[in-house]
Amino acid sequence: MKIGIYGGAFNPPHLGHITAARTVFGLLKLDKLLVIPTGHPPHKLLPPGSPAPEQRLELARLAAEQTGLGDRVEVLDAELRREGNSYTADTLARLKEQYPEDELWLLMGTDMFLTLQTWHEPERIISLAGIAAFGRTEADMEELFSVQRSYLYRTYPQARIFTLTIPGVVEVSSTELRERLAKGEGGRLLAPAVHGFILREGLYGTKADMKALPLSQLRPVALSYLSYRRIPHVLGTEQEAIHLAERWGGDVEKARRAALLHDCTKKLNMEEQMLLCEQYGVVLDELEKRAPKLLHAKTGAAIAETVFGADEELASAIRWHTTGRAGMTLLEKIIYLADYMEPTRDFPGVGELRRVCYEDLDAGLLLGLEMTIQEMKERGAPIHTKTLEARDALKGQR
């Protein structure tokens, strides 16, 4: 197995890091990529006000997800947990013990490659891993890289060196990016979920008001709560909610906000969901106490209210987006259906559901509820009483 090791302060991780990792992974035909935020870099101190170790770990994790490599990329806290200076040679030695039969490759940018011989125990580093160095363009790097390659091969005959260009990669210094973030700029140089976490935590001098976020900030903040696989669904729900609100005269902005936040606690496990219920005084029925899928609607509504300042109408749309209920408001119907039939959904009957919803909203809602009830029966799963009540109420109106 070929394993890439990508270390750095990642303070913060930006699109350049993500593009480089994804490109090198493909060109080197790696099987696995380990992303390792440094703990205490020996060559420079982390600047004052840097995120706490657990925050830098989460930033790296969010950025790693955006590579699209799935479970082939893993973020390690090995250097963050280690006391004293973080030496690459020590990290590689520990990884070699863990992966004795595998081929290790150390990923690095131009500056790191050109100064490799000045690192702590460079010969040990080169004996443990191949060096994969990347630059932006051949014109920028090849003359310097060729000189450095020749030097390293002469000095360390056992060296394995792979250099490559990554055209179009975003190049920005971390110092400059931190300064821009403090001024309310620089978000476009970050993956949305990374930017959202920075805003949530108030990192790098950002001062976003969580209870009064414009949509341009709410979107990345909402995405930072999600697993990578759920992001397309939530963005699709937002788009479907816009179309339904426009078609049926709903509040488009509220529909967008509710759609963006409707799954904000979806990735939490049962224990974490129950802790939120206790924290926010969420009352649960017997079925909800056993079903995490139902819990996230209740805890998501609580987060929308307390963290994001959502009013009752918006919070209620999130609260009932999974089960529905009798007498649903227009916004509740929109979010329930947008979640159910957004563009990434693909199941038998979804095309017909979409058609009906844009002809008669209540008929579409009834169809969606009946499809849910039928699916639950086929799976032998319990059906929430609110879902049955919602169906029966709509049937009684027709």
Side-chain angles (χ1 to χ4, degrees):
M1 185 164 65
K2 292 177 72 174
I3 301 174
I5 298 105
Y6 193 11
F10 302 124
N11 191 25
H14 52 69
L15 292 177
H17 296 125
I18 294 169
T19 302
R22 184 166 50 229
T23 303
V24 176
F25 189 95
L27 290 175
L28 268 179
K29 295 181 171 56
L30 298 175
D31 300 293
K32 190 178 187 68
L33 177 64
L34 304 177
V35 177
I36 307 178
T38 56
H40 302 281
H43 57 290
K44 62 178 179 180
L45 295 175
L46 292 173
S50 291
E54 61 272 15
Q55 291 172 321
R56 283 205 295 127
L57 185 68
E58 180 64 8
L59 285 170
R61 188 192 66 76
L62 288 167
E65 284 190 341
Q66 306 309 305
T67 62
L69 297 175
D71 57 9
R72 294 175 296 172
V73 60
E74 183 180 353
V75 179
L76 303 183
D77 64 354
E79 292 198 357
L80 294 172
R81 288 187 288 103
R82 188 186 308 156
E83 295 183 0
N85 287 336
S86 299
Y87 290 116
T88 299
D90 295 337
T91 299
L92 288 175
R94 286 174 171 81
L95 289 173
K96 195 61 181 177
E97 290 175 2
Q98 186 176 350
Y99 300 100
E101 303 302 321
D102 298 308
E103 184 179 326
L104 304 184
W105 284 87
L106 182 63
L107 280 58
M108 62 183 66
T110 303
D111 291 344
M112 295 296 97
F113 179 61
L114 296 179
T115 59
L116 180 58
Q117 64 273 17
T118 69
W119 292 20
H120 178 72
E121 298 184 330
E123 184 171 6
R124 188 177 175 216
I125 291 172
I126 288 171
S127 70
L128 291 166
I131 306 300
F134 47 85
R136 183 174 58 183
T137 66
E138 187 170 349
D140 286 345
M141 59 167 264
E142 185 50 35
E143 183 176 352
L144 291 173
F145 271 30
S146 62
V147 172
Q148 179 69 342
R149 280 197 307 269
S150 298
Y151 171 80
L152 292 175
Y153 281 136
R154 289 195 310 271
T155 309
Y156 312 105
Q158 77 275 32
R160 292 174 292 135
I161 301 172
F162 179 82
T163 58
L164 67 155
T165 58
I166 307 177
V169 69
V170 173
E171 285 197 355
V172 60
S173 75
S174 296
T175 301
E176 179 188 350
L177 182 51
R178 291 191 294 269
E179 290 172 352
R180 293 176 68 173
L181 287 168
K183 297 175 183 177
E185 304 168 358
R188 293 184 179 181
L189 299 171
L190 302 166
V194 172
H195 188 208
F197 184 79
I198 288 169
L199 294 174
R200 273 172 59 188
E201 299 291 310
L203 304 178
Y204 306 116
T206 57
K207 296 179 173 62
D209 181 354
M210 291 294 108
K211 293 183 183 296
L213 290 174
L215 276 167
S216 61
Q217 291 186 331
L218 178 64
R219 185 176 294 101
V221 170
L223 298 184
S224 73
Y225 280 85
L226 306 173
S227 66
Y228 177 72
R229 291 183 179 90
R230 186 148 297 272
I231 287 176
H233 163 68
V234 168
L235 294 178
T237 301
E238 181 193 10
Q239 291 306 305
E240 197 70 55
I242 292 171
H243 298 323
L244 286 169
E246 290 175 340
R247 173 66 179 87
W248 298 109
D251 186 320
V252 173
E253 177 153 342
K254 276 194 175 180
R256 295 178 72 177
R257 290 178 177 275
L260 287 168
L261 293 172
H262 82 282
D263 275 352
C264 65
T265 61
K266 181 79 171 182
K267 74 176 182 180
L268 302 182
N269 60 33
M270 188 66 173
E271 182 181 357
E272 292 167 327
Q273 295 280 5
M274 294 301 288
L275 286 173
L276 284 180
C277 289
E278 182 179 349
Q279 179 180 350
Y280 294 115
V282 176
V283 179
L284 304 174
D285 59 34
E286 289 306 311
L287 179 54
E288 289 166 341
K289 291 176 182 178
R290 306 192 305 273
K293 184 177 179 181
L294 298 178
L295 281 183
H296 84 278
K298 296 290 187 72
T299 54
I303 292 294
E305 284 183 301
T306 56
V307 176
F308 295 99
D311 62 19
E312 176 54 28
E313 181 186 17
L314 196 156
S316 184
I318 296 173
R319 187 176 298 116
W320 302 113
H321 83 267
T322 300
T323 63
R325 64 166 179 164
M328 293 172 76
T329 66
L330 176 59
L331 186 60
E332 288 169 5
K333 295 173 184 178
I334 288 170
I335 298 305
Y336 179 92
L337 289 168
D339 173 54
Y340 199 2
M341 65 180 196
E342 52 87 11
T344 71
R345 298 289 200 191
D346 184 18
F347 55 85
V350 69
E352 175 65 7
L353 177 62
R354 290 175 183 137
R355 183 189 68 77
V356 174
C357 284
Y358 285 92
E359 291 182 356
D360 183 327
L361 187 64
D362 283 348
L365 179 60
L366 177 57
L367 177 58
L369 290 163
E370 288 179 330
M371 291 171 74
T372 297
I373 291 168
Q374 182 61 33
E375 180 191 358
M376 301 300 279
K377 286 180 178 178
E378 291 173 356
R379 290 166 46 192
I383 303 166
H384 199 281
T385 56
K386 293 293 184 183
T387 305
L388 296 170
E389 290 170 1
R391 181 209 49 192
D392 293 345
L394 284 168
K395 275 191 169 181
Q397 294 172 11
R398 304 187 74 79

